[in-house]
Amino acid sequence: MSGGGGGGLGAGFSYQKFVHVALEQTRLRTALAPHPSQEKFKFIKTNEDNTVFNALSFSASKIRLLRSLTIEQKNSVQVLDFAAFSEPEYDLPIFCANAFTSPTRSIIVLDLNPLYDTTEHEDYRGKYYRKLMPLIHKYSELLPWGGKITSESLRFFSPIVIWTILEPTEANHQVLCSAFMDYYKAWLELMDEAVQETSTEKIDRNREAQHKYLTWRAEKDPGYPLLKKLIGECAAKDLVREFLFEGVNSLGTKSFLEYFPEYAQEDGTVNKKRSMMGKSFESRPWDAHGQFVGDPGDG
């Protein structure tokens, strides 16, 4: 699979394999049914003949939405966007895997995104992340921190997030595949163990927390310019709001600026700058126990 020159991955490489294995693992634990969004987005026409979109979405008894999008451009770009959202009766983290691979580098984010901020909500961190810390200890050297990232981008990351930039070699791809499956199996185990919430107040809070996350992601999706280029602005907006972050139109009614008023400009529009807020972090800002510490060496 490894090509010459930059050691890039050859024609045998596909994120489709990640999706197939993840769906197999899910079906071992729960019955998947096609999600309504799958029919609409299964066959996406692109503006470029060498580009293939593959969109799948499902739901299950505890899973509101399990969806994947892969984009494959021959000898060029490979994209994976895979996520799993629980029903609001559960406060499970959101499984999230984003990978963008060009011939020269792979940009990766892999995480169980917290529904509630793990710095403010220590009980939530203890409930889900304390026992998951061995995952990041296993991979932090193999998949090192990808360099400067703003506190804006960290907003929905957990202490076990993998954010890394790699050369797209076969060896790196194997490590990434292993990390993806370890993280996803960890999420499936949490789903298995999850006990349904009965308090209406807590269910409503979970629903709003998930809606807040979806609203942020739909507004800030870094893949949007590529989608717009490949399928046009109207179809790209639909794909983001009705497939990738389905629920943004139905789980709640608050707008982006109601959740994040600090992004309001004088004319009432959203400030589009990606790094307007806070400091940036050049190294992993959590300690070995998942406690947020900022950059090591900060005064």
Side-chain angles (χ1 to χ4, degrees):
M1 281 204 304
S2 191
L9 287 157
F13 166 64
S14 169
Y15 283 121
Q16 278 287 310
K17 292 170 189 170
F18 287 43
V19 175
H20 291 154
V21 179
L23 292 179
E24 274 174 21
Q25 287 294 323
T26 314
R27 289 190 174 105
L28 293 175
R29 295 165 184 267
T30 189
L32 288 178
H35 188 274
S37 62
Q38 180 165 287
E39 204 50 46
K40 178 172 181 180
F41 293 99
K42 202 160 52 173
F43 303 108
I44 303 169
K45 296 274 188 291
T46 70
N47 301 330
E48 298 181 15
D49 291 340
N50 69 338
T51 305
V52 178
F53 270 65
N54 223 303
L56 293 170
S57 58
F58 303 92
S59 55
S61 60
K62 295 181 181 180
I63 302 173
R64 187 185 68 77
L65 175 67
L66 171 67
R67 55 86 180 144
S68 73
L69 175 70
T70 58
I71 304 171
E72 302 186 323
Q73 278 188 311
K74 206 169 180 188
N75 303 320
S76 177
V77 168
Q78 308 272 346
V79 176
L80 170 70
D81 192 333
F82 187 100
F85 304 87
S86 65
E87 290 284 5
E89 285 77 12
Y90 308 91
D91 65 358
L92 285 173
I94 295 157
F95 180 83
C96 157
N98 293 97
F100 176 90
T101 295
S102 72
T104 55
R105 63 179 186 165
S106 290
I107 304 168
I108 310 296
V109 174
L110 179 61
D111 197 15
L112 275 64
N113 294 152
L115 211 54
Y116 299 100
D117 184 301
T118 58
T119 307
E120 289 174 31
H121 300 268
E122 286 194 22
D123 55 336
Y124 190 80
R125 189 177 85 233
K127 181 177 179 181
Y128 287 119
Y129 296 99
R130 191 168 291 137
K131 61 185 174 187
L132 295 178
M133 290 311 292
L135 280 176
I136 194 59
H137 301 157
K138 178 176 177 181
Y139 288 107
S140 58
E141 284 187 25
L142 293 165
L143 300 168
W145 190 253
K148 195 175 278 192
I149 194 167
T150 63
S151 47
E152 175 187 79
S153 301
L154 280 182
R155 190 185 284 261
F156 289 103
F157 285 171
S158 86
I160 64 163
V161 64
I162 289 173
W163 136 248
T164 193
I165 300 174
L166 303 165
E167 189 185 347
T169 61
E170 187 173 352
N172 284 342
H173 178 244
Q174 297 296 344
V175 173
L176 179 60
C177 190
S178 167
F180 174 85
M181 284 319 304
D182 279 354
Y183 272 57
Y184 188 59
K185 283 178 184 171
W187 187 85
L188 288 174
E189 279 169 25
L190 294 180
M191 179 202 72
D192 268 354
E193 295 162 5
V195 177
Q196 187 168 337
E197 185 54 70
T198 53
S199 154
T200 310
E201 187 189 343
K202 286 184 180 171
I203 294 168
D204 287 347
R205 202 185 310 152
N206 292 342
R207 185 181 286 109
E208 179 165 293
Q210 199 175 123
H211 185 252
K212 183 179 183 179
Y213 173 95
L214 292 166
T215 303
W216 172 269
R217 292 294 310 271
E219 178 66 39
K220 293 281 181 180
D221 184 34
Y224 182 73
L226 177 66
L227 294 176
K228 195 165 113 175
K229 174 175 171 268
L230 293 174
I231 60 176
E233 186 165 12
C234 193
K237 272 186 180 161
D238 276 357
L239 186 69
V240 167
R241 296 186 70 84
E242 295 177 30
F243 182 82
L244 292 177
F245 306 112
E246 192 280 327
V248 74
N249 296 331
S250 58
L251 283 186
T253 56
K254 282 190 183 176
S255 68
F256 180 85
L257 289 177
E258 284 176 285
Y259 284 127
F260 309 104
E262 64 273 25
Y263 287 86
Q265 300 190 117
E266 283 182 20
D267 63 357
T269 58
V270 175
N271 188 326
K272 297 287 186 188
K273 278 189 190 165
R274 288 199 62 77
S275 57
M276 60 171 278
M277 288 189 53
K279 60 170 291 179
S280 57
F281 299 92
E282 301 215 16
S283 55
R284 174 171 291 281
W286 293 274
D287 69 15
H289 306 290
Q291 191 87 33
F292 189 79
V293 290
D295 263 343
D298 278 356

